[in-house]
């Protein structure tokens, strides 16, 4: 079983660049082209939030146009830059979540692993939230299967990582109960997140928290206290999650840019 993950697309309306300089739609087009060239082909693509930048319908229409060429199914999660109304106006007809649910949360049964996708959007705030309704949903999903290796995906990292401005906008409301639920479910193999626009790994609640870079701009790493976050054009990345029998879930980081090679290791001398 192989699936792909990207995050933090920040698509704007056609013709608009993020911060006046990031052509996020062009970055996504390059990521989609890379994904479509992968062999073997991932079973699906998971996108862990900040699908668009302002949450408007025209941005989601623009996003849908850029996802249309994908040769694999796509599963979408919401981040702080998303908007539920705009999202549902364009993607509401999709059938992989319960339309009666007020939040965009759902299960993906993917053979040897199971994914639980959460909605941490706290409208009007850059930080994330998991209210009792969303956490009750997570508790029920975890309770119904205590054996299958489970991946929990959400936009906001549930802990601080030493980036002071981003730490002020991590998962805040509900973070303590989220930690308790994950710690009580030893079959949670991985927590996948975005939001930081950087690659970050740490131990979390007895499992591994894996935060991946965005597919467009990244956050410049400055570990000093109180700095204002700046963007930087470090290489964007796809992540490929592969189930390896005898090992478990293995996560390969794949740069989207093209590089010279590959070449044979065979030496002529
Ligand atoms: Fe983002």
């Amino acid at each position: 079983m192989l699936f792909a993950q990207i995050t933090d697309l920040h698509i704007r309306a056609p013709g608009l660049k993020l911060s006046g300089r990031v052509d996020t739609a062009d970055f996504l087009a390059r990521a989609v082209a890379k994904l479509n060239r992968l062999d073997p082909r991932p079973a699906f693509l998971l996108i862990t939030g900040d699908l668009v930048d302002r949450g408007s319908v025209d941005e989601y229409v623009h996003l849908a146009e850029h996802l249309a060429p994908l040769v694999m199914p796509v599963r979408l999660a919401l981040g702080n830059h998303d908007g539920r109304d705009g999202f549902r106006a364009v993607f509401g007809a999709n059938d992989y979540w319960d339309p009666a649910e007020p939040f965009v949360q759902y299960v993906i049964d993917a053979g040897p692993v199971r994914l639980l996708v959460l909605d941490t959007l706290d409208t009007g705030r850059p930080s994330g939230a998991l209210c009792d309704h969303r956490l009750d949903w997570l508790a029920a999903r975890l309770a119904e299967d205590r054996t299958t290796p489970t991946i929990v995906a959400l936009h906001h990292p549930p802990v601080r990582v030493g980036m002071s401005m981003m730490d002020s906008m991590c998962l805040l409301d509900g973070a303590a109960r989220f930690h308790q639920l994950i710690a009580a479910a030893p079959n949670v193999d991985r927590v996948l997140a975005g939001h930081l626009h950087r690659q970050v790994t740490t131990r979390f609640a007895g499992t591994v928290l894996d935060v991946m870079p965005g597919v467009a701009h990244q956050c410049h790493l400055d570990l000093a206290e109180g700095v204002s976050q700046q963007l930087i054009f470090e290489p964007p990345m796809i992540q490929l999650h592969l189930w390896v029998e005898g090992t478990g879930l293995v996560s390969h980081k794949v740069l989207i840019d093209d590089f010279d090679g590959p070449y044979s290791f065979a030496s002529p001398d």
Side-chain angles (χ1 to χ4, degrees):
M1 202 287 300
L2 175 72
F3 74 95
Q5 180 196 2
I6 60 174
T7 197
D8 293 87
L9 284 50
H10 287 267
I11 295 297
R12 296 210 61 194
L16 294 179
K17 293 182 178 179
L18 183 141
S19 300
R21 68 174 75 241
V22 188
D23 187 344
T24 51
D26 183 60
F27 273 107
L28 177 57
R30 287 157 55 187
V32 167
K34 180 89 172 189
L35 287 159
N36 283 349
R37 290 196 300 272
L38 292 174
D39 182 15
R41 180 179 296 175
F44 61 92
L45 170 67
L46 172 68
I47 308 182
T48 41
D50 282 0
L51 307 171
V52 301
D53 197 57
R54 308 285 173 93
S56 64
V57 170
D58 53 349
E59 288 183 338
Y60 284 109
V61 170
H62 197 202
L63 170 66
E65 290 169 1
H66 277 74
L67 294 179
L70 270 174
V71 296
M72 64 202 76
V74 61
R75 298 290 181 262
L76 303 171
L78 300 185
N80 52 295
H81 280 264
D82 288 295
R84 280 194 198 87
D85 292 342
F87 175 78
R88 288 191 187 280
V90 178
F91 292 99
N94 286 350
D95 61 358
Y96 53 88
W97 59 74
D98 180 355
E101 271 291 306
F103 300 101
V104 181
Q105 303 199 137
Y106 52 92
V107 179
I108 304 173
D109 285 312
V113 298
R114 182 174 188 244
L115 281 81
L116 305 180
V117 180
L118 301 179
D119 176 346
T120 56
L121 169 58
D122 189 7
T123 300
R125 298 174 67 190
S127 54
L130 287 172
C131 57
D132 284 344
H133 181 96
R134 285 173 275 188
L135 288 166
D136 288 348
W137 182 92
L138 173 63
R141 299 292 80 74
L142 289 171
E144 66 194 12
D145 186 339
R146 292 294 193 191
T147 56
T148 303
T150 297
I151 299 162
V152 176
L154 74 175
H155 179 72
H156 291 83
V159 287
R160 296 182 295 119
V161 299
M163 298 169 67
S164 60
M165 185 172 166
M166 300 307 289
D167 285 348
S168 71
M169 55 177 84
C170 68
L171 179 69
L172 296 179
D173 295 351
R177 188 177 165 209
F178 178 72
H179 186 285
Q180 289 171 357
L181 290 172
I182 300 301
N187 60 319
V188 173
D189 191 279
R190 198 71 52 87
V191 175
L192 300 178
H195 189 53
L196 298 181
H197 294 243
R198 296 208 63 82
Q199 183 185 336
V200 180
T201 307
T202 187
R203 182 182 173 94
F204 171 76
T207 186
V208 177
L209 171 67
D210 187 343
V211 184
M212 68 171 299
V215 292
H217 55 293
Q218 313 303 341
C219 284
H220 172 59
L221 183 62
D222 188 338
L223 297 175
E225 274 297 319
V227 293
S228 180
Q229 192 63 63
Q230 294 182 296
L231 68 86
I232 188 169
F233 290 102
E234 291 180 0
M237 197 179 284
I238 290 167
Q239 187 149 232
L240 294 178
H241 301 284
L242 175 68
W243 182 259
V244 178
E245 214 53 55
T247 301
L249 191 75
V250 178
S251 300
H252 292 273
K253 278 70 177 173
V254 181
L255 296 173
I256 292 172
D257 296 333
D258 291 323
F259 298 90
D260 189 20
Y263 298 110
S264 169
F265 278 108
S267 175
D269 53 14

